[in-house]
Amino acid sequence: MKEIIDNHKYEKELNKKGITLIAGVDEVGRGPLIGPVVAAAVILPEDYYLDGLTDSKKLSEKKREYFYEIIKKDAISIGIGVVDEKKIDEINIYEATKVAMKQAIDNLNIKPEHILIDAMPLDLKIPTTSIIKGDLLSITISAASVIAKVTRDHMLYDIDKEYPMYDLKNNKGYGTKKHIEAIKKYGITKYHRLSYKPVSDYKDKVVR
């Protein structure tokens, strides 16, 4: 039997304490060989319910796009943080992820009273709860995971138009067989992460 997850548990506990402005924060793009890491912070209305909303990795592309539009319409506030491949190479992906998350929180137009974060510990002035598998266990983090994922995917579609040979519209920048074969054949683009293998092996072969 399928386990039913109460993905409002953390929000309800905070609501009981009188806290309603809760931001969920998540990121996407730590593993890909190309493009930025993107984080989103989302504040939803109290007791918000959206049937089927869960971790963006468990949703089809069509479903993510559908939820993306609904969340954009319903959310009290949304903030996005983007750290590009140059900065990732400079400070490493773990640090870049934290920067993107802090940017996303700073870009909210309403200050949250509490922040729920997917797994990552952040040092902030606002109280935070870091939740393992938060994108599954908190609807607010689920909403942030969808916003972050769709935002980044759209950026990859733009890069794909520039460099169609890497099949980015399908692999979203991850190191699939087709992507790696294209790197070996054509070299890399200005968007590839030079600190990642096998990209680093081709840093002298940049496609113009």
Side-chain angles (χ1 to χ4, degrees), residues 186-202:
Y186 302 103
I188 58 169
T189 70
K190 60 187 176 187
Y191 302 109
H192 276 92
R193 300 176 184 176
L194 299 177
S195 53
Y196 279 47
K197 282 272 188 190
V199 176
S200 53
D201 298 333
Y202 296 85

Side-chain angles (χ1 to χ4, degrees), residues 23-31 37-40 57 83 88 91-105 114-124 126-135 141 196:
V25 179
D26 199 10
E27 53 66 38
V28 67
R30 287 172 77 169
V37 62
V38 175
K57 295 187 287 295
V83 175
I88 292 168
I91 62 174
N92 80 46
I93 188 63
Y94 183 77
E95 292 304 322
T97 300
K98 289 201 283 191
V99 171
M101 285 181 160
K102 286 178 179 176
Q103 269 183 22
I105 295 160
H114 197 101
I115 298 170
L116 302 175
I117 308 167
D118 183 41
M120 178 76 79
L122 281 187
D123 185 19
L124 300 167
I126 302 165
T128 64
T129 306
S130 182
I131 306 165
I132 303 294
K133 293 194 174 169
D135 43 14
I141 298 176
Y196 279 47

Side-chain angles (χ1 to χ4, degrees), residues 115-180:
I115 298 170
L116 302 175
I117 308 167
D118 183 41
M120 178 76 79
L122 281 187
D123 185 19
L124 300 167
K125 290 191 171 74
I126 302 165
T128 64
T129 306
S130 182
I131 306 165
I132 303 294
K133 293 194 174 169
D135 43 14
L136 201 60
L137 300 175
S138 155
I139 188 160
T140 320
I141 298 176
S142 295
S145 83
V146 167
I147 295 291
K149 173 74 175 144
V150 175
T151 300
R152 187 179 188 279
D153 284 356
H154 289 177
M155 291 174 172
L156 267 288
Y157 299 151
D158 289 340
I159 300 173
D160 179 74
K161 284 175 195 155
E162 228 179 309
Y163 301 101
M165 59 279 222
Y166 300 96
D167 194 36
L168 301 173
K169 69 176 181 292
N170 293 312
N171 62 46
K172 310 300 189 289
Y174 285 90
T176 58
K177 187 165 178 270
K178 197 166 179 182
H179 188 175
I180 293 190

Side-chain angles (χ1 to χ4, degrees), residues 75-89:
I76 291 169
S77 184
I78 293 173
I80 303 288
V82 179
V83 175
D84 69 15
E85 58 289 334
K86 309 276 184 299
K87 194 73 178 169
I88 292 168
D89 290 337

